[in-house]
C-alpha cells in the first residue's frame, strides 16, 4: 500500500513538473525566442502565458524597452584638424529579436560593444565634416540625423533600432580652447550688432512714419480750423450787416461802445484826446 502511495505521489510530481516546464510567461516589457534543438522556431510572442515542449524546447527572454549605455570619451578629428575629446551616450532597443540573437548570441554586452563601434564610426564621419564650433553649436536633430545616416544600416543588421545619440561633453585641447571661445564670442557679438542695427533701422522708420502722420494730422486740423474760422467770420459779418441795415443807429451805438471799451483801457489809464468829433458823440449830453 505504501508503495502504491509513493508511486502516486511521484506520478503527481512528474505531472506537475511537466505542466510547469511546458509553460512560460512573456511580460509586456520582454521579447522571447523559442528554440528547438538550438534552432529558432518562434519569436512573435504576445504578452501572456505561452507553451513549449519540455526538454526539447527552450526559451530566452530579452528586454524590449529602450536601453541606455554611456561610453567613455573618445578622440575625433574635426574638419579643421583639431582633436577634441567627446563623451556620448546611446539609446537603443531591440527591433528584430531573431536577428539580434543571431548577431550577438543574445549577449547585451556584446551588442553594446558592437553598437559603440558603429556609433563611433558615425560620430567620426559627422564630426569630420564640421569645425569644433559647428560641433558645439549643432542642433541635436541635425546631429542625430547625420549619425543615423552613417550608422543606420549597420545597426539594423544587429536587429537594433538607434533611438538617440547624445553628446554629453566636448573637451577641447588646451591650445585651441581659447581661440574657439574667442571666435564664438566674436560671432555672437557680430550677431548682436546686426540685431541692434536692424532694431535701430526699424525704430527710425517707425519714428519717421509717426512724424509724417503727426504733420498730416496737424495740417488737416489747421485746414479745418481755418475753414471753420472763415465760416464763422462770414456769419458774423452777415449778422453785423443785417443788424446795421435794420437798426443802423443801434448798431452805431454798439460799435462805439465797443470802441470806448477797447481804447479807454483800465482804471488809472491817462488818455489825451480831443473830445470833439464823431468818436465821442455818444458821450455828450444832447444839445451840446
Amino acid at each position: 500500500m505504501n508503495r502504491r502511495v509513493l508511486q502516486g505521489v511521484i506520478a503527481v510530481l512528474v505531472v506537475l513538473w511537466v505542466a510547469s516546464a511546458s509553460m512560460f510567461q512573456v511580460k509586456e516589457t520582454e521579447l522571447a525566442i523559442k528554440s528547438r534543438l538550438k534552432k529558432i522556431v518562434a519569436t512573435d510572442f504576445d504578452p501572456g502565458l505561452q507553451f513549449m515542449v519540455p526538454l526539447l524546447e527552450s526559451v530566452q527572454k530579452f528586454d524590449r524597452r529602450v536601453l541606455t549605455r554611456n561610453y567613455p570619451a573618445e578622440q575625433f578629428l574635426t574638419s579643421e584638424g583639431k582633436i577634441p575629446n567627446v563623451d556620448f551616450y546611446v539609446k537603443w532597443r531591440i527591433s528584430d529579436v531573431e536577428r539580434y540573437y543571431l548577431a550577438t548570441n543574445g549577449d547585451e554586452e556584446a551588442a553594446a560593444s558592437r553598437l559603440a563601434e558603429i556609433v563611433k564610426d558615425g560620430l567620426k564621419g559627422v564630426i569630420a565634416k564640421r569645425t569644433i564650433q559647428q560641433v558645439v553649436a549643432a542642433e541635436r536633430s541635425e546631429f542625430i540625423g547625420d549619425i543615423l545616416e552613417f550608422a543606420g544600416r549597420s545597426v539594423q543588421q544587429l536587429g537594433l533600432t538607434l533611438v538617440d545619440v547624445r553628446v554629453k561633453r566636448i573637451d577641447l585641447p588646451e591650445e585651441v580652447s581659447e581661440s574657439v571661445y574667442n571666435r564664438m564670442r566674436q560671432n555672437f557679438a557680430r550677431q548682436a550688432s546686426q540685431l541692434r542695427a536692424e532694431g535701430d533701422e526699424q525704430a527710425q522708420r517707425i519714428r519717421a512714419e509717426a512724424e509724417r502722420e503727426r504733420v498730416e494730422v496737424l495740417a488737416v486740423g489747421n485746414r479745418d480750423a481755418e475753414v471753420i474760422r472763415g465760416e464763422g467770420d462770414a456769419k458774423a459779418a452777415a449778422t453785423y450787416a443785417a443788424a446795421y441795415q435794420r437798426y443802423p443807429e443801434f448798431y452805431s451805438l454798439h460799435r462805439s461802445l465797443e470802441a470806448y471799451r477797447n481804447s479807454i483801457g483800465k482804471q488809472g489809464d491817462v488818455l489825451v484826446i480831443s473830445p470833439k468829433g464823431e468818436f465821442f458823440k455818444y458821450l455828450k449830453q444832447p444839445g451840446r
Side-chain angles (χ1 to χ4, degrees):
M1 183 69 179
N2 291 336
R3 186 175 180 180
R4 290 180 179 178
V5 172
L6 181 59
Q7 291 175 346
V9 171
I10 293 174
V12 170
L13 291 176
V14 170
V15 170
L16 291 176
W17 177 83
V18 171
S20 176
S22 300
M23 296 182 293
F24 65 95
Q25 184 180 9
V26 179
K27 298 179 181 178
E28 293 184 355
T29 59
E30 293 177 333
L31 296 169
I33 288 179
K34 183 166 68 174
S35 302
R36 182 179 302 147
L37 301 177
K38 296 184 178 181
K39 182 179 180 181
I40 298 175
V41 295
T43 59
D44 53 342
F45 292 102
D46 295 327
L49 191 64
Q50 307 292 337
F51 298 92
M52 66 179 181
V53 178
L55 300 178
L56 294 179
E57 296 179 340
S58 61
V59 174
Q60 285 185 279
K61 300 177 184 178
F62 309 96
D63 198 337
R64 74 187 306 166
R65 294 172 294 185
V66 175
L67 304 177
T68 303
R69 182 62 61 97
N70 291 283
Y71 295 99
E74 294 282 342
Q75 291 185 338
F76 298 94
L77 182 67
T78 67
S79 63
E80 57 190 350
K82 308 302 181 183
I83 307 177
N85 295 321
V86 180
D87 287 355
F88 65 96
Y89 68 86
V90 177
K91 290 181 176 293
W92 53 279
R93 62 180 177 83
I94 300 172
S95 57
D96 188 332
V97 66
E98 182 176 357
R99 182 176 294 180
Y100 170 76
Y101 180 78
L102 294 176
T104 65
N105 199 28
D107 187 347
E108 183 177 322
E109 291 299 323
S113 178
R114 294 184 61 179
L115 183 63
E117 296 302 321
I118 295 172
V119 172
K120 287 177 187 177
D121 290 340
L123 280 171
K124 185 183 301 182
V126 170
I127 294 176
K129 298 189 302 181
R130 291 175 168 85
T131 64
I132 289 181
Q133 182 178 348
Q134 291 171 339
V135 171
V136 173
E139 292 287 341
R140 188 191 69 84
S141 58
E142 177 187 358
F143 208 74
I144 183 64
D146 290 346
I147 293 175
L148 287 175
E149 183 179 351
F150 276 95
R153 183 174 300 178
S154 299
V155 172
Q156 290 177 359
Q157 292 177 356
L158 296 178
L160 304 177
T161 295
L162 195 58
V163 177
D164 196 5
V165 177
R166 191 71 63 89
V167 174
K168 297 191 299 182
R169 181 176 177 179
I170 299 177
D171 291 329
L172 304 177
E174 292 293 335
E175 63 272 13
V176 299
S177 296
E178 189 62 29
S179 63
V180 170
Y181 291 141
N182 285 336
R183 282 199 301 271
M184 293 178 66
R185 282 193 289 266
Q186 291 172 2
N187 288 338
F188 289 143
R190 184 172 64 253
Q191 293 176 7
S193 298
Q194 182 179 355
L195 291 175
R196 282 193 292 269
E198 292 175 355
D200 291 340
E201 180 182 358
Q202 186 175 5
Q204 292 177 4
R205 185 168 59 252
I206 293 174
R207 283 195 291 268
E209 182 68 20
E211 179 64 20
R212 183 184 63 80
E213 293 180 358
R214 185 186 72 85
V215 172
E216 290 180 356
V217 170
L218 290 177
V220 172
N222 290 332
R223 183 197 63 193
D224 294 343
E226 291 297 330
V227 170
I228 294 172
R229 190 178 296 112
E231 293 175 351
D233 291 341
K235 290 181 180 180
T239 302
Y240 288 141
Y244 179 76
Q245 291 177 0
R246 188 170 183 180
Y247 304 105
E249 187 63 26
F250 175 77
Y251 179 75
S252 177
L253 173 62
H254 176 71
R255 298 291 288 179
S256 297
L257 292 178
E258 284 188 350
Y260 299 155
R261 185 183 301 111
N262 295 328
S263 61
I264 295 176
K266 298 180 181 178
Q267 184 177 3
D269 290 347
V270 177
L271 180 64
V272 179
I273 190 172
S274 174
K276 298 179 180 180
E278 290 294 325
F279 184 72
F280 289 106
K281 69 178 181 177
Y282 292 106
L283 296 179
K284 297 177 182 179
Q285 293 181 1
R288 293 187 180 180

